[in-house]
Amino acid sequence: MHLTHAEHELELDLGPVTMSCTADELATALTALVREMRAAAPFIRPDERDALRAIMEHAGAPTVGEIFPDFARDSDAHTTLRKLRTAQFIRPQDRDRWAVQEHIEVKPFARLLWERLGEAHLFGDLSEPVEEIDLALPGVNDSEPPRDDKQKGKTNGEEWNEADVLDFLSNDDTKN
């Protein structure tokens, strides 16, 4: 692919055709692909993700049989390949049908994202710590107020529990 920048237009050499578009148009198209991949990610089980990782780490295009030695059509392995294909990661290399000897091709865009962004980003499980935000008013947690021996609504100082709350809500004395 050949990429040039002239007057805010990108000229893409796509092999048999050349296409012009803006950087924003290209970004919009690629964003849609990333969104599609990430939307499918929650439906990929951990064992299927392991298979994808093995495909991505394999030197060259592995065969279905190398990744799934006991492959059979309409099996869990077949479903895994179909899910990974739907998620835009892979496709059958030579034919449009999964079979034991079929090579698994990683789609170029998936390879690019896997190498540049990483698996965690594609699956939305970045290990970056999430900043915890304290929504309490300043000073509210500085010291705990002394506890009353009796809790409101209880006559003997016992703690409230879920059943008490349900009883309280259904009590005729509390209804308006």
Side-chain angles (χ1 to χ4, degrees):
M1 181 184 309
H2 177 69
L3 184 66
T4 60
H5 182 69
E7 300 295 322
H8 303 288
E9 285 281 322
L10 302 173
E11 188 174 302
L12 303 170
D13 181 356
L14 303 175
V17 297
T18 299
M19 182 180 89
S20 294
C21 65
T22 66
D24 288 342
E25 290 170 328
L26 184 58
T28 299
L30 297 179
T31 299
L33 282 173
V34 171
R35 196 174 313 124
E36 186 175 338
M37 293 170 85
R38 291 195 75 190
F43 301 101
I44 297 174
R45 297 185 320 254
D47 62 307
E48 294 170 328
R49 193 165 159 181
D50 291 343
L52 176 61
R53 196 176 302 114
I55 293 165
M56 292 295 201
E57 293 171 356
H58 195 279
T63 64
V64 169
E66 288 175 305
I67 303 298
F68 301 104
D70 300 325
F71 176 81
R73 293 194 59 79
D74 299 320
S75 65
D76 284 343
H78 187 220
T79 301
T80 296
L81 290 168
R82 294 175 74 190
K83 285 169 78 173
L84 295 176
R85 184 179 188 182
T86 299
Q88 301 299 324
F89 285 105
I90 62 171
R91 68 179 206 87
Q93 183 172 321
D94 300 316
R95 298 177 24 200
D96 197 27
R97 179 181 164 99
W98 294 114
V100 174
Q101 296 305 317
E102 182 67 37
H103 287 272
I104 303 169
E105 177 185 335
V106 174
K107 291 187 173 187
F109 186 65
R111 173 69 67 196
L112 177 69
L113 292 179
W114 189 271
E115 290 175 358
R116 299 289 176 106
L117 300 178
E119 175 184 356
H121 183 78
L122 289 172
F123 282 86
D125 59 3
L126 294 174
S127 59
E128 295 175 8
V130 176
E131 180 183 347
E132 190 173 315
I133 300 171
D134 185 3
L135 298 176
L137 294 171
V140 80
N141 293 326
D142 290 346
S143 65
E144 292 292 323
R147 235 183 94 148
D148 290 337
D149 285 341
K150 293 185 177 183
Q151 298 288 320
K152 192 171 190 175
K154 298 290 281 182
T155 57
N156 58 4
E158 294 175 10
E159 294 285 330
W160 281 90
N161 65 35
E162 189 174 312
D164 294 329
V165 173
L166 294 174
D167 288 343
F168 178 77
L169 292 175
S170 63
N171 187 340
D172 288 336
D173 295 337
T174 61
K175 292 182 182 176
N176 290 336

